[in-house]
Amino acid sequence: MSGFLRYRVGPYGAATCPGEFQGCDDSALGAFWAEALGWGVSSEGPGVTNVEPAVFDWPDAAAVCVDVVTVPDPETVNYRAHLDLATTSAAHQAELVTRLQELGATRPDIGQGDVPWTVMADPEGNLFCVREPRPIYRDIGPVAAVVVNCADPPAMARFWGEAMDWTLHEVTDDHARLRSAEGVGPHLEFLRTPDPESVCGRVHLDVKPYPGDDQAAEVARLRALGATDADLGQGDVPWVCLADTEGNEFCVLTPG
């Protein structure tokens, strides 16, 4: 299985593929994230805007792509997954927050209290954080981490580590952190959260087998690790919808 994630906002029944955001206007929201990350945009079809680094060879563990997919009625729920953006200094953090606000982001109060990172929401309300500078995020690119709220971080790290063959870098009862075995790209972090939302959110992860791998074999392997089938009304689509050990939906794409 490719250790490459795509962070996706999109409807579970429409033409979608790896990591995603759901929104009402994929092109506008895609333009926001392209400006925020310094990346380019393309489209795999109507209603889908793909945000990717300008120089990018698939698969590439150094990047987590963002897909933005139009939905008619996006949910307004507290999502389990969100992006954390990296900064290199306190000045860079302040500059980035200001620039994102100029692009249309807001700074919601979600009860975060006095924390060193800045909680923000994109123009359609998807939450993300601008992290304070940390050594582990140095030279990592614009995305520091994909963060997933969960009930059992060690168990989630075991599942996703085996699912993607990523390396475990840190684990406690309250937090676990994985990264590509190549030591590049964003981290995948699991954070213990009281009563994580049990509803289906707008943001989910997709994984893509390496070119030449067999999708059906990868799906069978993930089921053996504890994944379950997810019927989201997706119909006849080329990807396979599964849920991890805590019920977070994700998609297994076709190789290539």
Side-chain angles (χ1 to χ4, degrees), residues 210-236:
Y210 285 117
D213 285 353
D214 182 79
Q215 182 191 38
E218 287 299 319
V219 169
R221 185 178 67 85
L222 291 166
R223 288 179 181 138
L225 292 175
T228 54
D229 294 318
D231 184 356
L232 307 170
Q234 62 269 21
D236 184 17

Side-chain angles (χ1 to χ4, degrees), residues 145-221:
V146 177
V147 181
V148 180
N149 296 334
C150 64
D152 189 342
M156 287 284 280
R158 284 193 297 272
F159 171 83
W160 282 99
E162 292 189 50
M164 301 193 303
D165 194 27
W166 278 24
T167 301
L168 181 66
H169 285 269
E170 178 185 354
V171 62
T172 67
D173 287 342
D174 295 324
H175 179 257
R177 180 167 55 87
L178 302 169
R179 198 181 188 195
S180 162
E182 299 176 28
V184 297
H187 298 256
L188 176 60
E189 301 185 6
F190 300 99
L191 181 65
R192 185 183 296 276
T193 305
D195 303 317
E197 292 293 321
S198 59
V199 295
C200 170
R202 289 197 289 177
V203 177
H204 73 264
L205 299 174
D206 288 352
V207 294
K208 187 177 181 73
Y210 285 117
D213 285 353
D214 182 79
Q215 182 191 38
E218 287 299 319
V219 169
R221 185 178 67 85

Side-chain angles (χ1 to χ4, degrees), residues 112-116:
Q112 64 267 29
D114 184 17
V115 293

